[in-house]
Amino acid sequence: MSKPTIYSIAQRCGVSAATVSRAFNRPELVSAPVREQIMAAARELGYQPSSAARGLVTGRAEMIGLVVPDITNPFFPLLVRAIQRTAERMGSSVMLIDAEESAAAEVRHVAQLRSRVDGVIVASPRSSSAALREAARGLPCVLLNRPLRELSSVICDNTSALFDAGEHLHKHGHRSFALLAGPSASWAAARRSQAIRRWARGRGVELIELGPFRATFKGGRQAGAALLATDATAAFAFDDLTACGVLAELAGRGVSVPGERSVVGCDDVLLARTVTPSLTTVTAPMDDLGATAVQVLTRQIETPGGPAEHVALPGVFVARDSTGPRSTS
């Protein structure tokens, strides 16, 4: 049996091939009864519309780009899945690119995607604001976890949740804290550090700042070693992966958690729930972050030149087993 085409559907329904094409690409131009007849015939014949052909009609690639800084960080696979699921529901595929923590590669990839996708989402970008603006010029673009006035953005605001984490530790008797700062090029790291500093100043407690450290397990182990050179009894790690490295370093040196040190992560990736002890952290609304980014990008694609949108979603503090009362010994 030959492959079904719009012509075989047209013959089955007694309409023109142009009407069949409009039913798929401009359905609002075809009456509901005729459109339903065409769709029923397409299902019976096993017809699948060509995305390339549809792109010629709509002028769209039906593809969005997604650039992440480090696909090995467990924060990003969850985000990628949320973005992909929403994009599929909205009729688009996702082209994923890992910038490997390189700001230069990040802007290069965004510029190269211009002719291949309808728009791009850049997650936790490491590039300068000027470089991002230039790379995304004329291209629908949404930044995730990085606000920039000229470009749409969706961020997770962890400020309130980090204050809750600080209060949780304070109630457990901790008065000396370590801030294990994340990558210097990360807006999220700077924002989290700022929130923790504000909380510490308001509480009048000691805050020892260490780092910056890379957002990796190895970076976490380095942060753990630095923590042990201080008198801090509780530590805020940049993210959960870093915190897991801290836990490993402390365990390797015979330091109990939370008996001798308390550790807080951020993001609530799967590792946070499976590591021992389970990690006190801040939960990021991963599904909502991904879905909102795609929805904002879709509006940017459909309304070229429209105003930038800025959305902030709150994180939520979650207490688990890596925090507890300050040791008195």
Side-chain angles (χ1 to χ4, degrees):
M1 182 180 292
S2 61
K3 183 178 180 180
T5 66
I6 62 172
Y7 299 101
S8 54
I9 296 172
Q11 185 176 18
R12 169 76 68 93
C13 297
V15 298
S16 69
T19 299
V20 176
S21 177
R22 281 194 293 272
F24 283 101
N25 300 306
R26 298 291 303 277
E28 72 278 7
L29 300 180
V30 181
S31 68
V34 173
R35 188 169 65 247
E36 290 170 5
Q37 181 188 17
I38 290 170
M39 295 303 167
R43 287 192 295 270
E44 291 171 7
L45 294 171
Y47 173 74
Q48 293 291 328
S50 163
S51 59
R54 191 161 54 243
L56 292 174
V57 175
T58 64
R60 294 184 183 173
E62 295 184 341
M63 177 85 69
I64 63 174
L66 172 58
V67 181
V68 301
D70 179 11
I71 196 60
T72 65
N73 186 307
F75 175 84
F76 292 107
L78 297 173
L79 186 64
V80 170
R81 176 177 289 178
I83 288 171
Q84 181 174 288
R85 285 176 173 172
T86 305
E88 286 178 351
R89 287 196 296 269
M90 302 183 81
S92 291
S93 299
V94 177
M95 182 182 295
L96 173 64
I97 296 179
D98 178 13
E100 299 184 41
E101 289 286 1
S102 167
E106 187 174 78
V107 294
R108 184 175 69 251
H109 288 312
V110 171
Q112 290 173 342
L113 285 169
R114 184 181 302 277
S115 62
R116 303 180 186 180
V117 300
D118 298 316
V120 63
I121 296 170
V122 187
S124 303
R126 305 301 196 232
S127 310
S128 69
S129 297
L132 283 170
R133 280 192 293 265
E134 181 61 31
R137 188 182 301 278
L139 175 68
C141 180
V142 174
L143 305 182
L144 260 170
N145 276 343
R146 171 82 174 273
L148 192 58
R149 189 180 66 234
E150 300 90 339
L151 298 176
S152 292
S153 63
V154 180
I155 67 168
C156 179
D157 186 353
N158 292 316
T159 302
S160 179
L162 288 169
F163 272 52
D164 290 343
E167 288 301 304
H168 166 77
L169 293 167
H170 192 271
K171 287 176 182 176
H172 276 306
H174 297 279
R175 298 295 183 267
S176 180
F177 299 82
L179 168 58
L180 310 178
S184 56
S186 166
W187 174 85
R191 177 78 172 223
R192 293 172 189 181
S193 294
Q194 182 183 56
I196 293 164
R197 290 187 197 108
R198 282 177 53 201
W199 172 80
R201 282 197 303 269
R203 260 298 175 190
V205 296
E206 179 184 29
L207 183 66
I208 302 165
E209 298 197 28
L210 304 171
F213 301 99
R214 292 196 63 179
T216 62
F217 185 79
K218 181 178 179 180
R221 295 206 69 144
Q222 293 168 343
L227 170 63
L228 290 177
T230 75
D231 293 327
T233 59
F236 296 92
F238 164 62
D239 65 1
D240 293 338
L241 183 57
T242 305
C244 287
V246 172
L247 293 180
E249 184 66 20
L250 297 186
R253 296 187 181 215
V255 177
S256 69
V257 174
E260 297 174 78
R261 296 288 195 282
S262 285
V263 178
V264 176
C266 199
D267 294 331
D268 200 15
V269 300
L270 181 60
L271 274 174
R273 283 157 274 168
T274 56
V275 71
T276 300
S278 59
L279 191 61
T280 293
T281 188
V282 173
T283 298
M286 210 69 73
D287 288 345
D288 290 343
L289 283 170
T292 303
V294 175
Q295 291 160 3
V296 171
L297 182 62
T298 299
R299 289 194 287 272
Q300 295 289 309
I301 292 168
E302 293 177 347
T303 312
E309 297 182 47
H310 302 285
V311 182
L313 302 174
V316 178
F317 172 67
V318 179
R320 295 199 181 101
D321 297 335
S322 66
T323 52
R326 178 178 65 89
S327 173
T328 57
S329 59

